[in-house]
Amino acid sequence: MTMIGTDRDEAGSGMAERELCVGDSHFVIVGTNRAVLHAARWLQQFGCRVTGARSLQEARAISPAPLALLIAGDAIPADAVPDEGAVEIYLWDYEVDRPGLGDFASAVSGVSTVIGAPDGAPGVMPAKIPEKWAGLFGASLALSLKVARDTDAKTSPRRIDVSAADLLRAFAEQNSGNHAGVPYGWRRNGRTAIEHGGVFPQGFFRCRDGFMAVQARSRPDWHAVLAALDDPEWGKDPAFQNPFRLSEDDSKVLPLLDAELMKRDRRHLLERAMVTGAPIAPVLSLDEAKAWDVFRPAFFAPDGQPRPPFTVRRAKILETQTS
């Protein structure tokens, strides 16, 4: 049986068990896509019993019911979820109700890697990361049902959808920060972040020696931006205090902000941002970034290109044999 995790008790006087025993959990896989296969693999690594079914109807008829059905959403026709039986988790390599790959999910979600080089094609995330993340979230949700069952939770969802595109949107907050969740995708839009949640300022703004990225998300962020600009007199005007209102019509404030930024260079603005906490950062070329020494150690590969912002390695699982 697989045991996951230990921690000290609150008093710190010894080790209090905080394990989740999942070896007796049964999950059924219906259909195949990358996300559901990754989910199945992780569940197997945790010691769960994972079996397959040829159809959704066959899976629903299994008795006793498994803890959850993990369904390849773009491979199995959807059907009304019954009132009783296993929870159904639909995993999508792309978007809910849309067949496709994680490359598409990257493109519609707005993750920065798809922008690509200025004179080149958009890029994609390496190692099929979108589908792996969808599978990981699906497996985590499946295991959470074990916790709910063991704690006698009175309610549980009947159907859960996990899509690679929605997961990536969650990481690309500035492109999914509005009330609609931006289900209709992302596009190149010059220097302005689209669907940014209705806060000013959002985008890339010219300064004395280049561009600065300014990504305010709240009133405190906007006031920190003003502080980084040494609190210009116009910023004290009540008409310029509410960044949500300013996002609706920036025709008056934008020229003022542009003028303040043009008085300063990128290094000065970065230093002020570090002091004030303003969400401001310089836009640097790769050579400039190397010269500024802003990267972590071993960020660059031997060929001089930046490495991905993650390390892919085999996880070590603590296995405890019980009698």
Side-chain angles (χ1 to χ4, degrees):
M1 179 178 295
T2 299
M3 313 285 285
I4 308 172
T6 59
D7 201 355
R8 292 188 180 276
D9 60 19
E10 294 183 359
S13 58
M15 296 300 292
E17 290 189 354
R18 304 173 67 87
E19 294 98 350
L20 173 64
C21 304
V22 297
D24 59 345
S25 300
H26 178 207
F27 300 98
V28 173
I29 303 300
V30 188
T32 56
N33 61 12
R34 286 195 178 106
V36 80
L37 291 176
H38 281 301
R41 175 59 177 161
W42 272 305
L43 291 171
Q44 287 177 326
Q45 287 181 328
F46 282 123
C48 301
R49 184 162 65 95
V50 180
T51 59
R54 289 172 293 185
S55 68
L56 188 55
Q57 291 71 26
E58 178 182 311
R60 288 173 173 173
I62 294 174
S63 181
L67 191 56
L69 309 182
L70 282 82
I71 303 164
D74 47 1
I76 299 298
D79 198 359
V81 180
D83 295 332
E84 297 181 355
V87 175
E88 299 183 0
I89 303 175
Y90 284 77
L91 303 179
W92 305 83
D93 289 350
Y94 176 35
E95 290 196 283
V96 175
D97 293 331
R98 294 188 182 184
L101 301 176
D103 294 351
F104 298 161
S106 295
V108 303
S109 66
V111 292
S112 60
T113 187
V114 306
I115 296 174
D119 56 350
V124 296
M125 297 190 76
K128 305 300 180 185
I129 291 296
E131 296 98 317
K132 289 183 178 179
W133 275 346
L136 180 61
F137 273 71
S140 298
L141 287 166
L143 293 176
S144 73
L145 297 172
K146 164 72 172 176
V147 177
R149 187 184 68 181
D150 290 352
T151 55
D152 295 325
K154 299 186 182 302
T155 61
S156 62
R158 300 301 313 135
R159 170 173 172 164
I160 303 172
D161 286 274
V162 179
S163 80
D166 285 337
L167 290 175
L168 292 177
R169 284 193 185 101
F171 287 99
E173 277 190 332
Q174 68 188 41
N175 298 316
S176 63
N178 95 351
H179 65 282
V182 196
Y184 41 82
W186 174 88
R187 64 185 183 278
R188 295 180 186 226
N189 194 39
R191 294 188 291 115
T192 304
I194 65 167
E195 304 302 342
H196 50 67
V199 184
F200 178 86
Q202 283 272 344
F204 298 95
F205 300 85
R206 190 179 295 278
C207 65
R208 182 184 295 168
D209 64 343
F211 287 90
M212 297 295 293
V214 187
Q215 306 290 342
R217 299 292 300 171
S218 64
R219 291 173 188 263
D221 279 356
W222 170 231
H223 292 299
V225 170
L226 294 174
L229 300 175
D230 302 312
D231 287 315
E233 193 64 30
W234 58 262
K236 301 173 185 177
D237 188 330
F240 297 140
Q241 292 293 303
N242 188 332
F244 298 93
R245 291 288 180 85
L246 294 176
S247 72
E248 297 173 2
D249 181 4
D250 63 6
S251 60
K252 294 181 179 179
V253 69
L254 184 57
L256 298 171
L257 176 64
D258 286 340
E260 291 294 335
L261 290 170
M262 286 300 294
K263 297 175 184 178
R264 300 160 172 85
D265 60 29
R266 290 175 295 174
R267 284 190 180 274
H268 174 79
L269 287 167
L270 178 59
E271 291 172 0
R272 292 293 298 151
M274 297 294 288
V275 171
T276 62
I280 300 175
V283 179
L284 305 175
S285 69
L286 188 57
D287 289 338
E288 286 175 328
K290 290 179 181 178
W292 284 37
D293 193 25
V294 298
F295 296 114
R296 68 182 186 274
F299 178 82
F300 289 99
D303 62 0
Q305 294 301 306
R307 300 178 189 270
F310 41 76
T311 301
V312 180
R313 61 180 174 81
R314 186 178 297 278
K316 296 181 179 179
I317 301 175
L318 175 63
E319 294 187 355
T320 302
Q321 297 297 324
T322 60
S323 57

